[in-house]
Each structure stands twice: as C-alpha cells, then as structure tokens.
Amino acid sequence: MSRNRKKKGKKTNILLGFICILLVGLLGFLLAMNYKTEQEESQRLTELAGDQHIGIEDYDAVKEHAAELEKASKDEEESSETDNIDKKSKKNNQKEDTAEADDTENAEETADEETARTISGVVCWGDDLINGDASNTYSYMAVLQKLLTDNGYNLTVVNKTLQAGGTLSMMKMAGVSDETLQGYITKHQQAANGAQLNVTETGIRDLTEEETTRNDMDCIPVIFMGYYGGWNHDPAELAEQQEQILNTFQYKDDFIVVGTIPLDGSVTADALDQVLSQKWGEHYISLASVTAQPSATYEAQQAMGEAVFNKLQELGYITKD
C-alpha cells in the first residue's frame, strides 16, 4: 500500500515536472514572441513617425507652393485688370477722338453748307391783289423791293403770284403732283354734298410754261395765298396747302407766311390767325394785326410790304453785301 502510494507520488511529480517544463517553455515562447512583436511595433512606429515627418515637410512645401500660386494668380488678375483698364481707357479715348472728329466734321460740313448757300432773292407766292400797272407800283412786292434797295440789301423780289388764282392753281404752278391736287378736289366735292362750288374749289387754271418754270429755288419764299379760295373754307387745309408749296423749296426752313381773310368772308381773321399762327409760329404775319384796311388797298399793301421786310430782318434771313 505504501509502495503503491510512493509509486503514484513519483509519477505525479514527474508529470508535474514535465508540465512545469512545458509551462516554462511556453512562457519563454510567449516572451520571445512578445519581444519580437514589440520590436516590430517599435520599428513600425519609427517608420510611421518618419512618414509623418516627411508628410509634414511635404505639407509645408505644398502650402508654400499654394501660396506662391495664389500670389501669382493675384498678380496676374491685377495685371489683367490693369490691361483691361488701359484697354477701356484707350477705347474711350478712341471714342472721344472719333466723336471729336465727327463733331469737327459735322461743324465743317455745316459751315460749308452755310458758306455754299447763296440767297438770290425773295420770292412772293400766292395772290396778287392789285392787277395791272398799279401792281408794279403799289403792291406789297413793289414796296418790299424798294425797302430792300433803300436799306442796302442787294436782293431781288421775284413775282410768282397768280392774279385771281385759287390755291389749287398755285400748287399746280409750284409742281405739286396731280394726284395730290385731285385729292383736294375730291374732298371739296364730298364736303359740298351736291351743292354748287366756287370754280377755285375744283378748277385748276391752264398755266403757261413760263409760269411753271421754277427760277426761285434758292430764294426766301413769302407765301400769301388763300384770298380767292381753293381750300374749302378750312384754315387747317390752307396751312396744309401752304406747306405743299414750301416743300418744293431748297431751303424750306426759311420762309414767311402772310394770312388774310378770304374775299367771300367765309372765315374770320381770328379763326384764320388762330390756326395759321399755331402752325407757323414766328414765321407768321397776320395782315389783320398789321392794318385794318382791306387787303387790296394801297395802304394795306404798304403795311404788308413793311411787315415782310421787318420779319426778314427779325428772322435773320437777309444780310447786306
């Protein structure tokens, strides 16, 4: 019994010793593995630290490079803006130079036109209220010619009036188209609605070649028309017909219009003046405001001649040589 226990105890010790050896070996193995792992980790950390340092250096280099690029970009933008400003300034200067050149050219052209423009005289269109030899002495045209000559103006008064003629015939003499004239005739007939019309409202006089020949295109026109009718008793139409004749002139912005009540008294002086003065403004002379005498009298013709002369001076149309 005692021998068996010893035998068992011996086996147990041997087993325990063996186990201890295994444990020591395992512990040594674990220690070796741990050391190796620590060495590898240490090496990894060292490499990582080195990589981080390199990364930091690279990052600083990148930042520095980015700053250089940003500065270069700003310099380029500033240079571009400067170039744009220079270009705009140059372009504006070119525009100003062009505008100045245009203004100078326009001024020169205007000056040339004014220099080239020559006025050969004053032409009277419309009604001749005094027929025969008396017209040569007492008409407003004769009065105007005397005033021009006596005051040192070397200008001729051209007579383009039509004795006892209506405004339709006057427009025909000026060269207004037949289509336009027919339009007025049709309008007058429609307004009459079958009633008898004065011959001047629909009829156009047969004109000679001398009467239709224009030798007054460079003259200052004085339009005195409407006394014998042809405008349907409508001052607005009379103004339109006066404009038809004015439009045939070379310098149609320089003119004088004289208004007198018609022979048949169909329109009052006030009604006529209201429309014509509004239409022609400073170019208009109302015969009613100049004289109370009938238009065909010598006194009225004298007053009208003086009024036309004064208006020519007032508007600056005439100059002395």
Side-chain angles (χ1 to χ4, degrees):
M1 187 72 176
S2 176
R3 185 180 294 179
N4 290 334
R5 285 182 180 177
K6 288 182 180 181
K7 191 176 182 178
K8 289 181 180 179
K10 187 177 180 180
K11 290 181 178 180
T12 301
N13 290 333
I14 293 171
L15 179 62
L16 290 173
F18 182 73
I19 292 173
C20 287
I21 293 171
L22 289 176
L23 291 173
V24 171
L26 178 62
L27 178 60
F29 176 75
L30 291 175
L31 291 173
M33 291 297 295
N34 183 57
Y35 177 76
K36 183 179 181 181
T37 301
E38 288 179 356
Q39 289 296 319
E40 291 177 352
E41 181 67 15
S42 176
Q43 185 178 356
R44 187 181 70 81
L45 292 175
T46 301
E47 292 176 354
L48 180 61
D51 292 341
Q52 288 178 342
H53 180 70
I54 294 172
I56 291 172
E57 291 179 350
D58 291 343
Y59 175 70
D60 291 338
V62 170
K63 283 181 64 179
E64 184 178 355
H65 184 61
E68 292 176 355
L69 291 177
E70 184 177 359
K71 182 180 179 181
S73 177
K74 288 182 178 179
D75 292 341
E76 185 176 355
E77 289 178 358
E78 291 176 356
S79 176
S80 178
E81 289 178 357
T82 302
D83 292 342
N84 289 335
I85 291 173
D86 292 340
K87 288 179 180 178
K88 289 181 179 179
S89 177
K90 185 176 181 181
K91 188 174 183 180
N92 290 334
N93 290 335
Q94 290 176 344
K95 287 183 178 179
E96 291 176 358
D97 293 341
T98 302
E100 291 177 359
D102 291 341
D103 291 341
T104 302
E105 184 178 353
N106 292 335
E108 291 175 353
E109 289 178 356
T110 301
D112 291 342
E113 289 177 359
E114 292 178 353
T115 302
R117 175 178 176 178
T118 56
I119 299 173
S120 63
V122 178
V123 61
C124 298
W125 272 81
D127 298 308
D128 180 2
L129 301 177
I130 304 177
N131 299 329
D133 294 336
S135 177
N136 298 328
T137 305
Y138 299 106
S139 71
Y140 74 93
M141 291 174 288
V143 173
L144 178 60
Q145 182 65 78
K146 187 174 188 304
L147 287 170
L148 289 169
T149 302
D150 290 349
N151 285 276
Y153 294 99
N154 186 24
L155 295 172
T156 301
V157 176
V158 180
N159 182 357
K160 293 293 286 186
T161 60
L162 197 59
Q163 293 184 356
T167 56
L168 297 177
S169 296
M170 294 172 189
M171 286 190 288
K172 177 68 174 180
M173 188 168 71
V176 177
S177 69
D178 292 338
E179 181 181 0
T180 300
L181 297 176
Q182 186 57 50
Y184 286 118
I185 293 172
T186 301
K187 181 179 177 181
H188 298 171
Q189 291 171 335
Q190 291 174 346
N193 196 24
Q196 184 66 33
L197 288 172
N198 187 293
V199 64
T200 57
E201 300 300 316
T202 57
I204 298 176
R205 183 179 299 184
D206 292 331
L207 300 169
T208 66
E209 182 178 352
E210 181 181 358
E211 288 174 324
T212 56
T213 299
R214 299 295 300 272
N215 59 349
D216 61 331
M217 301 301 291
D218 58 350
C219 294
I220 298 295
V222 177
I223 309 296
F224 176 29
M225 56 189 282
Y227 185 74
Y228 294 106
W231 41 281
N232 203 30
H233 317 292
D234 180 5
E237 183 176 312
L238 175 60
E240 186 179 296
Q241 293 181 357
Q242 291 167 339
E243 190 169 21
Q244 292 283 356
I245 292 180
L246 286 173
N247 285 338
T248 66
F249 281 87
Q250 183 176 357
Y251 307 114
K252 59 184 178 182
D253 292 332
D254 298 342
F255 63 90
I256 294 172
V257 173
V258 183
T260 185
I261 59 174
L263 178 63
D264 60 8
S266 57
V267 177
T268 65
D270 289 340
L272 188 75
D273 290 341
Q274 182 179 0
V275 174
L276 296 186
S277 63
Q278 183 176 1
K279 171 69 174 179
W280 302 121
E282 64 179 358
H283 300 271
Y284 183 64
I285 298 174
S286 166
L287 190 58
S289 66
V290 172
T291 178
Q293 298 294 325
S295 303
T297 63
Y298 295 168
E299 293 82 1
Q301 292 294 297
Q302 177 70 32
M304 186 168 68
E306 294 174 353
V308 170
F309 175 75
N310 293 334
K311 182 64 72 172
L312 287 169
Q313 290 184 313
E314 174 190 330
L315 297 177
Y317 290 162
I318 55 176
T319 56
K320 297 178 182 179
D321 293 338

